[in-house]
Amino acid sequence: MTGETLIALALVIPAATALLTPLFARHPNLRESVTLLGTVLLFAALLALLSKVLGGARPALHVLDVVPGLAVAFAVEPLGMLFATVASGLWIVTSLYSIGYMRANHEVRQTGYYVAFAAAIVATVGIALAGNLFTLFLFYEMLTLVTYPLVIHHRTPEAKAAGRLYLMMLLGASTVLLLPAIAWTAVAAGTLDFRPGGILAEKLSPTALAMLLALFAFGIAKAALVPLHFWLPAAMVAPTPVSALLHAVAVVKAGVFFVVKVIVYVFGVETLSTSGAGDWLVFAAAGSILIASMVAMTRDNLKARLAYSTVSQLGYVVLGAALATHWGIVGSGMQIATHALGKITLFFCAGAIYTVHHKTEVSELAGLGRVMPVTFAAFLVGALSIIGLPPGGGLWSKWYLVLGALDGGQIAIVAVLMISSLLNVAYLLPIPLRAFFGTAEGEATNGRAAEAPLPLLLAMSATSLACVILFFFPGIVFNPLQSMATQ
Amino acid sequence: MTLDLVREWLGGGLVAAGAAFMLIGAIGLLRMPDVFTRMHATSVSDTLGAGLILLGLVVLAGASLAAVKLLLLALFFGLMSPVSTHAVARAALHAGVKPVLADGVEVETSSREGQSSTR
Amino acid sequence: MKELVGNLAAHFNQWITVFLMVSGLYIVIARGNMIKKLIGLSLFQTSVYLLYISPGKILGGTAPILEDGVSVYANPLPHVLILTAIVVGVATLALGLALVVRINEAYGTIEEDEIFERDTRG
Amino acid sequence: MMLAAALVAVLLAAAMMVGRAVLGPSVFDRLVAANAIGNAAILILALYGFLGGRPAFLDIGLAYAMLNIIGTFAVLKFLRFGALGATGEEERP
Amino acid sequence: MRLDVILRITAKLILPMMLLFAVYVQFHGDYGPGGGFQAGVIAGATVILYALIYGLGATMVVVPVAVVEALIPLGVLVYAATGVMGLLTGGNFLDYSHLADDEVHGQEWGVFVVELGVFVTVASTMVAIFYAVAGRGRR
Amino acid sequence: MRVLSLALVLFVFWLLLSGHFTPFLVISGAVAAILTAALGLRLGYSDEEGHPIELLPRGLLYWPWLVKEAALSALSVARVILDPRLPISPRLVRVNTTQRGAVGYVTYANSITLTPGTITVEADRPTGTLVVHALTEAAAQGLRSGEMDRRVTAMEGSG
Amino acid sequence: MREHLPALQVLVPLFGALLCALVRRPRAAWLIAAVVSWIVPVIAVMLLAQVLGTGVVSYHLGGWDPSIGIEYRVDALNGLILVLVSGMAAVIAPFARRSVAAEVETGRVAWFYTMYLLALTGLLGIAITGDAFNAFVFLEISSLSSYALIALGSHRRALVAAYQYLVLGTIGATFYVIGVGLIYVMTGTLNLGLMAERIGAVQSTRPVLAALAFITVGISLKLALFPLHVWLPNAYAYAPSTATVFMAATATKVAIYLLVRFLFSVFGVGFVIADLPVTPILTVFSVAAIFAAATVAVFQSDAKRMFAYSSVAQVGYITLGVALATATSLKGGLIHIVGHALAKGGLFMALGAVTMRSRAFDIDDLCGIGRRMPLTMAAVVVAGLSLIGVPGTIGFVSKWYLVVAAFERGWWWLAFLIVASSLITVVYIGRFVEAAWFREPSAAAMGATEAPVSMLVPIWLLAVATVFLGLDARLPAGIAEQAASALGLR
Ligand code: NA
Ligand code: NA
């Protein structure tokens, strides 16, 4: 199959899944089969595409011109390919997990849930493979809109309030800041296409570049750069699989991916580093990392703590890109992948704990590790990866980020990364440790089945295993990124 | 030549005189104390004012279609102006508008059937 | 003399146009009675008729001499335009009166403030 | 010249009549004034048409005079019966 | 309410004059201001005067409502159809040149018929408006 | 007969208005006059009230007198208006009439209104009286003299 | 017959109106209206094709020369408007049958269609005529019939709304015709093309400046530019749904066309934009419209009123495109004309269907209606997204051009105001969508059933069109481009 066909398939498969799912609303087993089939087919298509990309090909697909200058077009490059593949792979796992979770918790509106989920994957793939700013923006907005029903899934007042915040912050930032940024880019560069080396070279003054970068960095609120992060903790009212895939992987990664993509393919690393227009962003990201980490420590609600952890970890991605050095970019890309695997594992665990024991607060988990050993083992692996300790793949992304900071001569940033790792340790590690070694206050097990249902266990095992694999075989991620960064 | 001049002066004079009566009528309309007395003022405009102006224009127009139409207009004025004046006056009286009367004058409309005291 | 007279008359024309416009608009704005408003509206529209018979040069500018010597004012005929404007005015007034009659039936008043009061109350 | 002066005088008269129409106080005062204004307008039309050499204005004047009367009747009838279609003027034996 | 003899007698006197004046204006459109519209206004006004003097009921017997309401669109139809005749006879819309053997007569005929349409519509519209307004508000 | 007479009068009216004597317009005028007169049979104006043609000859004698009378009255009212003291003494007076026909009665009433200084306020046909608003004592006196009444009755003739 | 298309464009609806008035039977009247509504877009499309193929189409009424007679003249600009107006009429026709039958009493249905077709005649006439005074006549034909349409609303407030619109609309039209009269006095012509040729010699004189002011204010009243919009909310809210759909989708758009024609064609870009502060003034009012009206919309409880205020705001975007007076901005304005017509037409149609099924108007009474009328309310979501300007809808394309135009001018603050205003749109659309979809059904909603097919099809046609044109707007953009360059905009 040609690259064009594969790109088209990568969009059509999840779209078809979304459209077919409601037809089987009355037959849950059939419905879930459709979903699973879709996830597997998509993954296969992306793997096929990945092999082409690794072989040096850069497939592209021009779909249509809305008006001259605004094209819906796709162009595959390593970073996007990586993002798409990770998201799609995790979609399989999450779907498996969802089936167990939704059924075990007797959730309502399951059909709508799967439809929105598949639609979110369409948007994510579209974002990952977009060939220009307009296409990326198109799918970026689509992602916001299709995930909104997932956020307010429970229809409770706080879910609706969170949904409103979610919509207003994401749409607000993207319309008020991102859209003008894109328009400004179009006016300044005369094109919206992503090109290696960027399109803004010698088009704008350093000050203007810095302002434009600010518009992008804050306009892409999905990147959750402090202070535009509030929507993320709020969105945690959604069912846990939603938090897992979307608010640890698809949605937030779409945000930071967008930032990296803009820095690499719109500004151009060269342009950015020589102009110094990204310097401020380095510090903003560093601030974001530290602030979010410290807030995370104060949160007792497990999902909230994980959410702030995510905000902090996203800062790494932005920071790496903002450094505008070779290793910074590589580290940034690796962080997208490793954090995705690590954080989804943690969310899977959180969901499992809620499903079996209806516990949501960190303080309630002491001693629970002895009843749910698999769950908390997975949690431990995921946490280590996020902190950047062996045997987690996260070690490598941190490593390259430090290299990038050193390359850029940003010693202070190296310090920030170190402090942040310590903070990570402080808010993540106590959770599994207390679960295993602490003593429960009251009846921890609730007298019920001890370990999580099988689909949940399978899912978390798979992702934690992937974390470990990335530790031993970082080349899977490193090689394509290296090829991108050296372009 | 002289005839034309005479005609022009005569016509112009008539028109000017008519206009003067229009003004007098308008002044009366402003000065008079009630609706009935004001109607007497507009009567001046409608008769001498309009009449003299139209007559003057007839003189100026000479024997022509315009003169005929001016005369028709004058005729129409003479026919319809009293009718509408009467209509308004009657309506005002029926609506209960009390006419301002001179001191010591008795109202002679008290009895419809009774013979007029002025006879 | 004729020219002087014409000029004088033309200026009256202009004054009356402005007077009708302003007073018509004033009535429309200042009156709460819907029929009075319509009368003001008609007065306002009347100003248009006069405008269309104003000769060109009295309005402060000089009319352009076009097609050397050919009078450009001969066509389209102003009186046709005025007539059309009158038709429009009458139609507007008629429709407006018909509306006021029905408003009176529905509300029992044609005073704007009373109508608003009745709408907000019930 | 005299015609122009006459035109000015009639316009002035019309303006004064407008004054009465505005002052009222009763609706009948306004009606009287409106009638007078209408008649003045016909004369203005005649004078204006004469000055402009357009006797066709006289036809307009005639038509206007007819409509003026009907307008007065309509208003009076409306004032008296609250409706234009009332049959109050019909003859009775 | 007693009969007002002055109104009745005067109305009788001027009604025929007004009707004839309407026809006069209708036929003299080419010579001065006038034509279908003014004629229609005067004719309509005549009917209204009749109604004011003799009452709405009596008038609606002489000039029925249904007739009036059908005449309005019919007049416009006459107008527009004449214009379309121009289109069908090889000219543009509203081009009456080809309605007769020579251009001048064609134009004359066209304008005449069109003005007739205008007359019908304007007169009937005035009466219809009067009926609509006068028929209401009886308390 | 009266219809024909009315048609003739209307035709003259048409010719006076028209001033154009093309065959088309003259014939149209004749047709219009006849149709209008005929319509009068339905609308009720083609009778002795709507078309009192027999009064025309004597009317020609009355009208000039009326015009003179109106002009004189107008002058006197104008004098009153321009007098700084505004010497008016308005009054309502009831006058008797001697006309036999409605047309004569209306002619008298309208003549009173046409002459400035007096306005017919109420026409009471059954009693044959008129209520007149007079601006001054002099105007009322002029009415009481009864000259106008006599002249209008004379215009009515014996028939 | 092909050369007579310009005349037929206006004649067909006119004859339709007359026939409706004569037949007086509801079903027959609808049939006439529908047939007319399906013929006029065919004529419009043929005209536009002719324009795009061989250039400007000119038609002389009565064969008279434009200097003394009326000329109908179609170029890319009004060709687009003609297609839009007539196309909307075609979509409305099937919708109208059930909606009008439900909202207008049987005895007045024929009258409704008579007025509807007259309004259509007027709007098409304004768009097609090349004569300033003739445009006034058509303006009044469309306005008077609109007043009559509004008065047919079932609530007594419809009468008051019609009256208020009549007063303000008449003032607007009179302002316009005064302005035209001033130009006529100065140039001796009523033909728009000849005016444009001759106005150069007198362009800085007092009468011409006054004319510019009169015409701009007059048309602004008609197109409901804030703060001259006060007639619009009640008119839209209380008119029968079909009339609301028609007016919202077409009437203000045609008025904007007329404004563009006068500003750029007659007065000329060089004069209006270069010598006079038209751009800043119009920009201020447009931005005020966008923000003030949208904010008011947020606080409405009546759904129709909410979307009526939204229309006032949306008009602001269009006039902003006019105000900036560049090729890009005008493209944005013209595409927004199309986009708003489609989206708002669809929204008001959906509200009409909801009104018919639930008899409810208040947003609170429409809670949960999405469950009972899912197809209707899904279309509302799509149209709402276009109103917000989400990429992938035509609403985005127009806003994109406006933002780009603002940047091209260096007015980055304006770009931010434009995009920031979309957020207010998000709030009121979101409020309605959330009530309809995510709240427990109200009593009124429980009693409702899905709209009939005759309504769903037109509603979805419009919704799909907003998305289709959001993905491929080359045709309208191309036409707009051609129109802009013909108007001398760069
Ligand atoms: Na004529
Ligand atoms: Na008198």
Side-chain angles (χ1 to χ4, degrees), chain E residues 2 8 12-13 20 28 31 62, chain F residues 10 18 44 47 49 124 126:
Chain E
R2 288 173 57 84
R8 184 169 60 78
K12 277 186 162 187
L13 210 62
L20 192 87
H28 288 74
Y31 298 104
V62 184
Chain F
L10 288 175
S18 171
D47 56 11
E49 283 184 0
D124 194 19

Side-chain angles (χ1 to χ4, degrees), chain C residues 44-45 47-49 51-52 81 85 88, chain G residues 132-137 139-140 170-184 190 214-215 218-219:
Chain C
F44 176 58
Q45 284 179 301
S47 65
V48 175
Y49 315 153
L51 180 73
Y52 273 77
L81 304 180
V88 167
Chain G
F133 196 86
N134 192 227
F136 164 72
V137 174
L139 186 68
E140 286 293 43
T170 304
I171 292 175
T174 308
F175 266 54
Y176 168 80
V177 82
I178 288 172
V180 168
L182 289 169
I183 304 179
Y184 168 62
L190 290 167
F214 272 116
I215 288 175
I219 300 179

Side-chain angles (χ1 to χ4, degrees), chain B residues 40 43, chain F residues 112-119:
Chain B
H40 292 294
S43 279
Chain F
I112 291 172
T113 313
L114 186 69
T115 41
T118 50
I119 297 169

Side-chain angles (χ1 to χ4, degrees), chain C residues 79, chain E residues 29-30 32-35 115:
Chain C
H79 77 256
Chain E
D30 343 352
E115 293 284 343

Side-chain angles (χ1 to χ4, degrees), chain A residues 100-447:
Chain A
Y101 181 92
M102 298 301 276
R103 291 188 177 185
N105 285 309
H106 308 290
E107 290 277 359
V108 290
R109 290 182 282 272
Q110 293 197 20
T111 304
Y113 171 88
Y114 287 111
V115 171
F117 222 115
I121 297 301
V122 177
T124 309
V125 173
I127 289 169
L129 304 184
N132 58 42
L133 270 175
F134 170 68
T135 310
L136 184 39
F137 183 64
L138 175 71
F139 285 103
Y140 179 90
E141 296 291 67
M142 177 182 167
L143 186 57
T144 307
L145 294 174
V146 298
T147 49
Y148 169 72
L150 292 172
V151 171
I152 61 162
H153 183 82
H154 289 128
R155 306 287 198 269
T156 55
E158 65 262 43
K160 284 184 191 168
R164 242 172 260 141
L165 181 68
Y166 183 82
L167 212 52
M168 285 316 288
M169 271 195 86
L170 292 184
L171 278 184
S174 70
T175 24
V176 176
L177 304 173
L178 182 53
L179 180 56
I182 296 173
W184 190 2
T185 308
V187 172
T191 178
L192 290 173
D193 290 346
F194 293 129
R195 293 195 193 136
I199 53 177
L200 284 170
E202 290 163 24
K203 303 276 189 185
L204 289 173
S205 71
T207 325
L209 276 178
M211 281 171 56
L212 183 57
L213 182 63
L215 288 180
F216 274 114
F218 290 107
I220 304 167
K222 289 197 177 83
L225 199 60
V226 174
L228 288 176
H229 65 284
F230 290 107
W231 62 270
L232 183 55
M236 292 299 141
V237 294
T240 305
V242 174
S243 312
L245 182 67
L246 299 179
H247 301 123
V249 184
V251 173
V252 290
K253 293 305 182 299
V256 287
F257 167 77
F258 200 158
V259 174
V260 176
K261 188 107 182 180
V262 163
I263 286 175
V264 176
Y265 292 100
V266 174
F267 284 84
V269 175
E270 186 69 29
T271 311
L272 203 57
S273 64
T274 50
S275 66
D279 290 354
W280 70 269
L281 184 55
V282 173
F283 291 98
S288 187
I289 291 169
L290 292 178
I291 293 168
S293 296
M294 286 189 274
V295 176
M297 292 212 295
T298 67
R299 291 294 181 270
D300 189 37
N301 182 289
L302 180 55
K303 279 174 80 177
R305 187 176 288 194
L306 294 182
Y308 274 101
S309 163
T310 302
V311 174
S312 160
Q313 296 293 319
L314 294 172
Y316 285 88
V317 182
V318 175
L319 187 143
L323 284 169
T325 62
H326 178 88
W327 296 123
I329 300 294
V330 172
S332 182
M334 290 195 75
Q335 171 73 1
I336 289 180
T338 58
H339 176 253
L341 291 170
K343 191 50 66 62
I344 201 170
T345 308
L346 299 190
F347 272 110
F348 282 165
C349 297
I353 294 162
Y354 172 76
T355 304
V356 182
H357 300 288
H358 292 283
K359 300 250 194 277
T360 55
E361 307 302 300
V362 172
S363 51
E364 299 169 341
L365 304 181
L368 205 57
R370 294 193 293 275
V371 249
M372 302 180 77
V374 183
T375 301
F376 279 93
F379 195 101
L380 183 61
V381 174
L384 289 174
S385 181
I386 283 169
I387 295 163
L389 292 174
L395 175 80
W396 300 112
S397 45
K398 303 287 149 71
W399 169 250
Y400 286 113
L401 285 173
V402 170
L403 275 190
L406 289 172
D407 259 11
Q410 305 271 26
I411 304 299
I413 294 306
V414 179
V416 168
L417 291 173
M418 293 299 148
I419 296 168
S420 161
S421 288
L422 288 177
L423 288 170
N424 291 349
V425 170
Y427 67 75
L428 277 181
L429 273 192
I431 299 169
L433 295 182
R434 291 241 302 278
F436 282 122
F437 306 114
T439 41
E441 301 161 16
E443 189 57 48
T445 61
N446 212 8

Side-chain angles (χ1 to χ4, degrees), chain E residues 69 77 87 91-95, chain G residues 1 4 11 24 59-60 62:
Chain E
E69 286 183 1
L77 208 61
L87 202 143
N92 274 1
F93 178 62
L94 294 180
D95 184 348
Chain G
M1 252 317 94
H4 296 302
L11 280 176
R24 294 162 151 239
Y59 186 86
H60 299 170

Side-chain angles (χ1 to χ4, degrees), chain G residues 274-422:
Chain G
D275 299 351
L276 297 175
V278 168
T279 293
I281 292 173
L282 207 50
T283 301
V284 166
F285 282 111
S286 302
V287 171
I290 291 169
F291 277 91
T295 308
V296 176
V298 170
F299 295 101
Q300 296 304 309
S301 58
D302 181 301
K304 262 179 116 178
R305 270 178 84 82
M306 183 179 89
F307 285 115
Y309 274 107
S310 155
S311 282
V312 178
Q314 297 292 318
V315 162
Y317 292 108
I318 305 172
T319 49
L320 187 61
V322 177
L324 292 177
T326 64
T328 312
S329 78
L330 190 70
K331 248 193 280 182
L334 290 179
I335 295 175
H336 203 74
I337 284 182
V338 177
H340 181 242
L342 297 173
K344 202 43 83 55
L347 279 171
F348 276 124
M349 270 193 201
L351 284 185
V354 167
T355 305
M356 190 178 94
R357 289 303 202 206
S358 71
R359 301 263 145 230
F361 303 92
D362 246 43
I363 296 176
D364 287 335
D365 295 334
L366 294 174
C367 282
I369 192 85
R371 287 192 214 168
R372 311 296 305 189
M373 307 178 72
L375 292 172
T376 308
M377 295 316 286
V380 165
V381 173
V382 175
L385 291 178
S386 183
L387 223 50
I388 294 168
V390 172
T393 63
I394 187 165
F396 174 78
V397 182
S398 49
K399 270 180 205 168
W400 169 259
Y401 276 126
L402 289 178
V403 171
V404 167
F407 272 117
E408 280 174 355
R409 252 183 186 271
W411 288 5
W412 54 268
W413 51 270
L414 182 60
F416 282 101
L417 287 177
I418 295 169
V419 292
S421 64
S422 310

